[in-house]
Structure formats: structure tokens, C-alpha cells
């Protein structure tokens, strides 16, 4: 069985079920399909409504101005941090805690921390910023 969305000459839309396309064509030709609303036998299949998308442009997509600004900002932020902050790597949370408790002199540090460590830092009331850095090699696995 096959379902067609049909429309009569008066613009009524309805659905018709047929054995196959040939059966539909035969019935349509012989005026056997009648509109359930006005009984008109001049019916046609409503052109299917699937969307047509223009072929994608081959040119690489340009980033939006916002994306460009964000990228530039991130780069500046990263440059600044790299120049002015000690890289403590995975020791970030440890170092931050040491400073927090006066075990070491306060200084600017940067590094990576796990979600657990971030939670600890937050619980200790230690403020830190997260900025998107080029992803370090994943050592979790
Ligand atoms: Zn009709």
C-alpha cells in the first residue's frame, strides 16, 4: 500500500491509499478518486514538501566576527598568562592550596587541574580562572 497526499481542483487536501502508483494513476484517470469534501474527481498528488537545500558552498566557512574576536582575545589572554604566570602543570591545585595556606609565597601560577581539584579549590574559597588553552595531552586514560 502507498499513501498519497492528494488535492482536488478546489484545493481540498486529503490522503489516499492505493495498491501502488499504477493503481493510483488508473483510478485517477478514470475519475474514481473523489474528494471527500466536495466529491470532485479532479485530483492530483500534492507536490511533496521535502525541503531542497542549495548545494553547500565549497568555500570554507568564514568564522563570524564574534568568533574572530573571541579567538583573538583568547590568544592575547594565553600570551599574557604564558608570560606572567608560572607553569606548574598538574600541580596547579596543590600550588594554589599551598599559597592559600601561606606555605609558599603568593605568585601567579597557571596549570591544569582536574574537576575534583577544582571542586576542592572552590570549597577552600580559592579563586581561579579558567581560560581555554590548547588542550594538553590527555593523561587521564
Ligand atoms: Zn474538494
Amino acid at each position: 500500500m502507498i499513501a498519497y497526499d492528494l488535492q482536488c481542483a478546489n484545493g481540498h487536501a486529503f490522503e489516499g491509499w492505493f495498491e501502488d502508483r499504477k493503481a493510483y494513476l488508473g483510478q485517477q484517470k478514470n475519475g474514481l478518486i473523489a474528494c471527500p469534501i466536495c466529491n470532485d474527481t479532479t485530483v492530483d498528488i500534492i507536490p511533496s514538501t521535502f525541503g531542497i537545500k542549495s548545494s553547500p558552498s565549497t568555500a570554507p566557512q568564514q568564522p563570524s566576527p564574534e568568533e574572530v574576536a573571541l579567538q583573538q582575545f583568547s590568544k592575547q589572554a594565553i600570551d599574557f598568562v604564558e608570560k606572567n604566570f608560572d607553569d606548574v602543570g598538574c600541580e596547579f591545585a596543590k600550588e594554589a592550596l599551598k599559597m592559600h595556606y601561606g606555605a609558599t609565597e603568593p605568585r601567579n601560577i597557571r596549570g591544569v587541574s582536574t574537576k575534583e581539584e577544582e571542586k576542592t579549590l572552590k570549597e577552600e574559597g580559592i579563586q581561579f580562572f579558567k581560560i581555554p588553552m590548547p588542550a594538553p595531552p590527555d593523561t587521564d586514560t
Side-chain angles (χ1 to χ4, degrees), residues 8-12 14 35-40:
C8 77
N10 294 317
H12 302 126
F14 57 98
C35 168
I37 296 151
C38 67
N39 235 18
D40 188 357

Side-chain angles (χ1 to χ4, degrees), residues 42-87:
T42 312
V43 298
D44 249 321
I45 296 176
I46 297 173
S48 69
T49 51
F50 63 81
I52 295 169
K53 274 180 66 172
S54 56
S55 60
S57 160
T58 49
Q61 207 169 1
Q62 294 295 317
S64 69
E66 289 81 8
E67 282 170 331
V68 172
L70 193 65
Q71 275 167 12
Q72 281 171 352
F73 171 78
S74 295
K75 181 147 191 339
Q76 281 170 6
I78 290 166
D79 283 349
F80 176 82
V81 167
E82 283 182 347
K83 278 187 196 121
N84 297 284
F85 287 68
D86 278 348
D87 187 3

Side-chain angles (χ1 to χ4, degrees), residues 12-141:
H12 302 126
F14 57 98
E15 195 177 63
W17 285 83
F18 305 93
E19 203 77 38
D20 51 25
R21 187 175 173 83
K22 214 175 119 195
Y24 158 75
L25 289 172
Q27 289 184 42
Q28 190 223 28
K29 205 173 135 201
N30 295 313
L32 295 174
I33 308 164
C35 168
I37 296 151
C38 67
N39 235 18
D40 188 357
T41 54
T42 312
V43 298
D44 249 321
I45 296 176
I46 297 173
S48 69
T49 51
F50 63 81
I52 295 169
K53 274 180 66 172
S54 56
S55 60
S57 160
T58 49
Q61 207 169 1
Q62 294 295 317
S64 69
E66 289 81 8
E67 282 170 331
V68 172
L70 193 65
Q71 275 167 12
Q72 281 171 352
F73 171 78
S74 295
K75 181 147 191 339
Q76 281 170 6
I78 290 166
D79 283 349
F80 176 82
V81 167
E82 283 182 347
K83 278 187 196 121
N84 297 284
F85 287 68
D86 278 348
D87 187 3
V88 295
C90 297
E91 304 288 294
F92 177 79
K94 230 182 269 175
E95 289 298 317
L97 280 167
K98 273 199 246 170
M99 273 185 261
H100 187 64
Y101 289 108
T104 55
E105 285 295 307
R107 68 187 203 276
N108 294 327
I109 58 167
R110 65 188 167 95
V112 293
S113 60
T114 64
K115 281 207 173 73
E116 276 306 303
E117 287 170 336
E118 283 174 19
K119 211 176 133 210
T120 306
L121 293 177
K122 270 183 197 149
E123 280 166 5
E124 296 287 338
I126 297 169
Q127 295 199 329
F128 58 95
F129 292 99
K130 285 173 77 173
I131 60 168
M133 298 285 277
D138 193 359
T139 52
D140 279 354
T141 48

